[in-house]
Amino acid sequence: MRDAVLHIDGDSFFASCETSLNPRLLGKPVVTGKERGIASSMSKEAKALGVTRGMPVFKIKEHFPQVVILSSDYSVYETFAQRMFAIVRRYTDHVEEYSIDECFALLRGSEEEMSRTVREIKSSLQSELGMTFSLGLAHTKVLAKLASSKNKPDGLTILNSSTSQVDTFLEDVDVGKVWGIGPATAGELRGYGIRTALDLKSREERWVRESLGKHTREIWYELNSERVFPIESGEGDSPKSIQATRTFTPPTSSANALLSELSKNTENASVKMRRENLFAKKIYFFLKTQDFRYKRYEVVLDKPLYAPSELFSHIERAFSHVYDPRLLYRATGVTLAGLTPSDQVQEDLFGDSTRSKVWLDILKTVDSIDRRYGSHTLTLASSMEAYKRRGGAVHKRLCIPYMGEIS
Amino acid sequence: MSIGVDSLLGYNIGMIKVLGLIEAGFPTSASEELIDTMSLDEFLLENREASYLLKVKGDSMKDAGILEGDLVIVERGKEARVGDIVVAEVDGDYTLKYLRRDKDGLYLEPANDKYKPIHPKEELQVIAVLRAVVRKYR
């Protein structure tokens, strides 16, 4: 094994951030989510009592009066998350910030070196952030995610490349616990007599190709130590994807405002793409909710595109799939992927649409104007609202958490 | 030289010009002494990810030059040495004291004769090590 995927998961993350800053909470059952009326995170002591995620606060008060119930402080959690990612980046550039309390990282080296690195990362995270983390190292994302969930909390599980060790591990894992397999798929797999992750892994490739959908097939490869899901770190020599995101304040649930932000994201990503003379075959976009959930969507294009207006029209059409007017959103982002150099894009692409060709000239002019008069001199009308909105008030600089008074 | 405390909280801090050295009671003309710019963050924080702020209450560390109302920056994950000023956990609270050792082991010592040393009943839990003290005037 020359490289491996590390998955890191903050244990009871929100509750742990609170405890890290307030020693009086140490060893106590702590629950966050008071402001929403349901538990969003539970300390291990609260879990031991029987408090579960989503449990209504009034019920917790009724049944477990000893529980400390706190309002969520997302800016503190975000600070801890940024610290977690920064600490992992000391060891590798290839870090994918998967969610507020989770990340993937790609490590390189001998098994011995990687195992030492994993232990160092765990120890730095825990001593510097004052909470525990569960880590899993394996050959693929799916295996690493299973490994980190193995001995939660404070777990460390390394699956080396030997088949027998992986098999023994997968034998005890219910197939429904595998990352990416939802209840419906799990039910379907049980119908085939597949109960454990090992049952799925051991199926013949031919049967898998004939019987399973694309996504479950990809998971089968990952269980068999064949990497399908890449670490999306945005690092690398030639970009495989280009991303533009922005966090704005205050959060909004307005569809117009969000579309305008996405339009601006698209323009920003498209500028970077044009600099490299690339076309995109895929668009990913996301809305990030006030409580840090990501709603993602993927659009596969029939033909490679580069013009922001054309790219954005696809996002506009798919927007309703991710947008929920009842939620507040704090950030949007657009990733352009499947990037292809323009000289590899076939000529006949322009055959059906002279508009695309016209855009080449228009954008050349736009870029030269922006170079002369500063970026965003000329923008899409659909981005206007985003330029007007106050925002960008979120600084790159890391904040220092305040731990209260000391005597 | 006055230091904005807000900046230490991570907002609004920019690059701050270094105006040369200032001897106590002997202000020098700073304008010609423009050396360079520096960021207060960088100056005060050695390991940003491990740094935390606390506000000082009481006068138990006054002889160490740490007064009520001061902001202290402490660093977690750093091995404490005897003689360091540390944040330690005592009965579910954090306290800022000198880390000392005698024949019975580690204990905490205030920097004020009014207070007694704290000998832990169990193992002493050192949480963090003091890295900087910030005091704002006016």
Side-chain angles (χ1 to χ4, degrees):
Chain A
M1 186 151 68
R2 284 163 323 176
D3 61 5
V5 177
L6 174 65
H7 179 253
I8 305 175
D9 197 352
D11 299 320
S12 308
F13 191 67
F14 295 173
S16 298
C17 292
E18 299 288 350
T19 307
S20 167
L21 294 182
N22 184 354
R24 290 188 191 92
L25 299 174
L26 266 174
K28 289 193 180 139
V30 176
V31 166
T32 63
K34 191 178 184 180
E35 80 291 350
R36 292 201 300 159
I38 53 168
S40 60
S41 170
M42 301 78 58
S43 71
K44 67 170 189 279
E45 293 82 3
K47 282 178 187 162
L49 286 175
V51 183
T52 52
R53 181 171 296 160
M55 192 181 268
V57 164
F58 75 87
K59 260 201 179 144
I60 300 171
K61 282 187 185 156
E62 192 182 309
H63 297 298
F64 316 105
Q66 69 274 46
V67 170
V68 182
I69 305 168
L70 303 168
S71 292
S72 314
D73 188 340
Y74 290 112
S75 62
V76 165
Y77 310 153
E78 173 98 51
T79 301
F80 274 93
Q82 292 306 326
R83 289 183 162 205
M84 163 185 173
F85 304 142
I87 289 168
V88 181
R89 284 203 178 88
R90 291 178 197 160
Y91 299 88
T92 169
D93 287 336
H94 300 270
V95 177
E96 176 182 337
E97 301 176 6
Y98 182 69
S99 75
I100 191 165
D101 56 356
E102 277 176 78
C103 65
F104 289 100
L106 190 69
L107 302 184
R108 293 211 168 90
S110 67
E111 292 202 3
E112 199 182 307
E113 284 165 342
M114 285 192 284
S115 145
R116 197 167 52 232
T117 305
V118 170
R119 275 164 230 279
E120 267 180 47
I121 291 176
K122 182 169 162 70
S123 131
S124 303
L125 285 170
Q126 302 197 153
S127 64
E128 293 178 29
L129 301 184
M131 62 177 83
T132 64
F133 290 81
S134 292
L135 287 76
L137 184 75
H139 196 64
T140 65
K141 271 181 156 178
V142 166
L143 288 172
K145 191 133 162 106
L146 283 174
S148 72
S149 65
K150 174 74 175 171
N151 293 311
K152 252 186 154 324
D154 200 8
L156 174 61
T157 303
I158 296 178
L159 291 179
N160 62 35
S161 43
S162 94
T163 314
S164 60
Q165 197 219 355
V166 174
D167 285 2
T168 313
F169 173 75
L170 295 178
E171 209 172 2
D172 296 331
V173 177
D174 184 284
V175 76
K177 293 265 190 268
V178 177
W179 183 44
I181 293 185
T185 310
E188 187 191 320
L189 291 171
R190 279 187 203 104
Y192 291 121
I194 295 172
R195 277 181 187 77
T196 68
L198 180 61
D199 292 341
L200 176 58
K201 183 202 168 223
S202 315
R203 287 293 165 122
E204 289 290 322
E205 183 166 7
R206 211 179 121 196
W207 179 87
V208 169
R209 264 193 264 135
E210 282 163 6
S211 321
L212 301 179
K214 178 172 176 270
H215 189 61
T216 320
R217 223 157 51 219
E218 288 175 338
I219 290 166
W220 179 85
Y221 281 111
E222 287 254 321
L223 287 173
N224 277 285
S225 293
E226 253 182 73
R227 216 171 276 160
V228 181
F229 304 133
I231 306 279
E232 290 171 27
S233 61
E235 294 288 332
D237 301 334
S238 71
K240 287 195 183 63
S241 67
I242 286 175
Q243 200 186 31
T245 67
R246 189 169 88 120
T247 302
F248 37 85
T249 46
T252 181
S253 48
S254 144
N256 281 337
L258 293 167
L259 278 167
S260 181
E261 291 290 341
L262 285 166
S263 169
K264 191 179 161 197
N265 296 149
T266 310
E267 283 195 272
N268 288 341
S270 157
V271 168
K272 292 188 217 168
M273 194 171 71
R274 294 202 296 274
R275 248 178 248 146
E276 314 263 343
N277 282 317
L278 297 168
F279 280 61
K281 285 192 212 145
K282 270 189 199 169
I283 309 171
Y284 300 92
F285 68 94
F286 72 79
L287 305 178
K288 187 181 183 185
T289 65
Q290 167 73 340
D291 53 345
F292 291 86
R293 267 170 251 273
Y294 287 87
K295 315 284 170 185
R296 300 168 200 264
Y297 201 80
E298 176 185 343
V299 183
V300 181
L301 304 168
D302 320 334
K303 56 170 191 176
L305 293 178
Y306 65 95
S309 57
E310 295 185 310
L311 292 163
F312 180 62
S313 70
H314 286 275
I315 293 176
E316 230 176 345
R317 246 172 282 153
F319 182 69
S320 60
H321 294 293
V322 287
Y323 170 67
D324 180 343
R326 292 165 300 177
L327 298 178
L328 274 172
Y329 300 91
R330 66 188 333 261
T332 61
V334 170
T335 304
L336 302 175
L339 301 179
T340 318
S342 56
D343 51 14
Q344 280 172 34
V345 176
Q346 291 155 24
E347 266 303 311
D348 61 282
L349 265 174
F350 301 124
D352 58 335
S353 162
T354 42
R355 263 177 60 210
S356 285
K357 212 167 193 173
V358 169
W359 270 115
L360 266 184
D361 294 334
I362 295 176
L363 289 169
K364 258 187 209 135
T365 313
V366 168
D367 290 343
S368 66
I369 290 173
D370 278 0
R371 267 195 297 275
R372 183 145 170 209
Y373 297 103
S375 48
H376 313 308
T377 304
L378 274 179
T379 74
L380 289 177
S382 51
S383 309
M384 278 307 284
E385 196 182 331
Y387 283 106
K388 275 189 274 171
R389 270 167 74 82
R390 283 189 306 119
V394 175
H395 297 271
K396 278 269 174 277
R397 222 166 264 283
L398 287 177
C399 301
I400 308 166
Y402 181 57
M403 296 176 84
E405 291 183 330
I406 191 167
S407 59
Chain B
M1 177 155 89
S2 105
I3 296 167
V5 172
D6 281 352
S7 51
L8 291 162
L9 295 163
Y11 310 104
N12 305 333
I13 192 165
M15 300 299 281
I16 292 176
K17 283 173 179 156
V18 176
L19 300 175
L21 300 173
I22 294 171
E23 286 173 53
F26 200 85
T28 55
S29 155
S31 54
E32 288 111 331
E33 300 270 11
L34 212 74
I35 301 169
D36 201 348
T37 63
M38 68 186 284
S39 141
L40 265 188
D41 285 31
E42 272 165 35
F43 173 66
L44 293 171
L45 305 176
E46 196 130 313
N47 179 354
R48 180 180 287 279
E49 285 83 42
S51 298
Y52 298 81
L53 281 172
L54 289 146
K55 192 169 192 167
V56 176
K57 220 176 105 185
D59 58 357
S60 70
M61 291 299 284
K62 77 171 174 56
D63 296 340
I66 302 170
L67 305 180
E68 170 133 17
D70 285 355
L71 269 182
V72 293
I73 297 171
V74 301
E75 193 176 308
R76 272 180 159 147
K78 199 171 178 67
E79 209 183 324
R81 286 176 299 213
V82 172
D84 282 346
I85 297 176
V86 300
V87 175
E89 193 207 329
V90 177
D91 303 326
D93 257 323
Y94 288 164
T95 186
L96 188 73
K97 298 286 177 288
Y98 277 112
L99 182 66
R100 302 285 191 212
R101 186 200 293 278
D102 63 10
K103 59 183 192 332
D104 299 323
L106 294 170
Y107 68 99
L108 300 168
E109 186 187 64
N112 183 338
D113 292 342
K114 274 192 349 210
Y115 299 86
K116 287 202 172 70
I118 303 166
H119 292 269
K121 287 171 214 111
E122 289 154 35
E123 202 194 340
L124 185 68
Q125 278 282 359
V126 175
I127 305 294
V129 176
L130 179 72
R131 303 282 335 193
V133 181
V134 182
R135 181 174 312 142
K136 197 175 159 177
Y137 291 89
R138 280 209 342 136

